[in-house]
Amino acid sequence: MIQAQNHDDSGDSGRVARVLGGDKNAFEVLVRAHKAAVARIVSAHVPDGQVAELVQETFVRAYVSLPGYRADSPFSHWLSVIAVRACHDFWRMRYKSREILHADLSEAGRAMVDNTPDVSAQPAEEAVAGDQARRFLAEALDRLSATDRMVLVLTCLEERSTAEAAELLGISRANVKIRAFRARKALRAMLETTSFMR
């Protein structure tokens, strides 16, 4: 579940009201209060070199969408949804242009294959195997659609529930289940046909 931040969400609602009333400084306070949390979300989904740009994009989208914010859920949760969807849009645009660099693996992707805390302390053969695993995962994720990739990261790597992944991506629970199944099946097929695993 998305964790609410340790600050006063009722204060956030007041700041939102002030921004909508014309106080631009109130939005700067919201940005400072939530920037680290948004950066954590974004860094789990996109390459390191894209994090700052997508954090900024998240806040631009939030500002534009502010009139649609309903205080029935914490502002931090609403902002989390915008951040995840910005990451999803990043991958959709990246896949459209096909300028994917295989080295561009997010922190979450690296964590999936690199379960050992210190690769440099391993024997050389294991370090090479870990590097091969990272390259394989990058290639495998690149072959998935943008939405399948996001579903896989949210449900498998971040261990979010189907309901939460559906809410974050703005798709149905059934769609999340189908996409997660399809993505795992595709990864298994890639594992079976790749010499890396032999």
Side-chain angles (χ1 to χ4, degrees):
M1 186 163 180
I2 298 173
Q3 299 294 318
Q5 301 306 307
N6 293 329
H7 50 76
D8 182 11
D9 279 313
S10 63
D12 286 344
S13 296
R15 289 181 193 100
V16 168
R18 288 187 3 234
V19 173
L20 294 174
D23 180 357
K24 306 299 185 220
N25 292 332
F27 192 72
E28 290 178 30
V29 174
L30 287 169
V31 170
R32 282 195 305 271
H34 296 278
K35 190 172 185 176
V38 168
R40 278 193 301 276
I41 292 167
V42 170
S43 66
H45 294 281
V46 301
D48 293 340
Q50 300 297 320
V51 172
E53 183 178 333
L54 277 168
V55 168
Q56 181 176 1
E57 173 69 15
T58 297
F59 283 108
V60 168
R61 289 182 183 197
Y63 184 79
V64 170
S65 303
L66 216 49
Y69 170 67
R70 302 289 177 259
D72 54 356
S73 67
F75 182 78
S76 56
H77 177 79
W78 181 78
L79 199 55
S80 299
V81 172
I82 293 173
V84 168
R85 291 182 186 176
C87 294
H88 182 214
D89 290 345
F90 165 81
W91 286 114
R92 286 197 301 201
M93 293 305 295
R94 184 87 170 235
Y95 283 17
K96 274 185 185 176
S97 65
R98 290 294 172 199
E99 294 175 1
I100 299 171
L101 301 174
H102 296 300
D104 282 352
L105 187 59
S106 70
E107 187 65 32
R110 287 191 293 271
M112 183 177 183
V113 293
D114 191 15
N115 293 326
T116 55
D118 185 8
V119 175
S120 62
Q122 297 175 351
E125 291 174 3
E126 289 181 34
V128 169
D131 188 49
Q132 288 175 333
R134 279 187 288 284
R135 279 194 309 250
F136 170 77
L137 180 62
E139 291 173 13
L141 289 173
D142 287 349
R143 292 180 188 173
L144 299 174
S145 73
T147 305
D148 287 355
R149 178 188 192 119
M150 290 297 295
V151 165
L152 189 69
V153 170
L154 288 168
T155 59
C156 294
L157 297 180
E158 296 183 3
E159 299 178 347
R160 294 182 187 266
S161 69
T162 299
E164 191 173 8
E167 180 185 2
L168 288 168
L169 292 170
I171 60 179
S172 70
R173 292 179 188 187
N175 199 348
V176 168
K177 289 179 182 178
I178 290 166
R179 287 179 176 279
F181 174 79
R182 183 172 55 202
R184 285 193 300 267
K185 185 177 178 183
L187 287 179
R188 269 195 298 274
M190 286 180 235
L191 280 170
E192 290 169 2
T193 60
T194 302
S195 60
F196 159 71
M197 296 305 291
R198 292 179 183 160

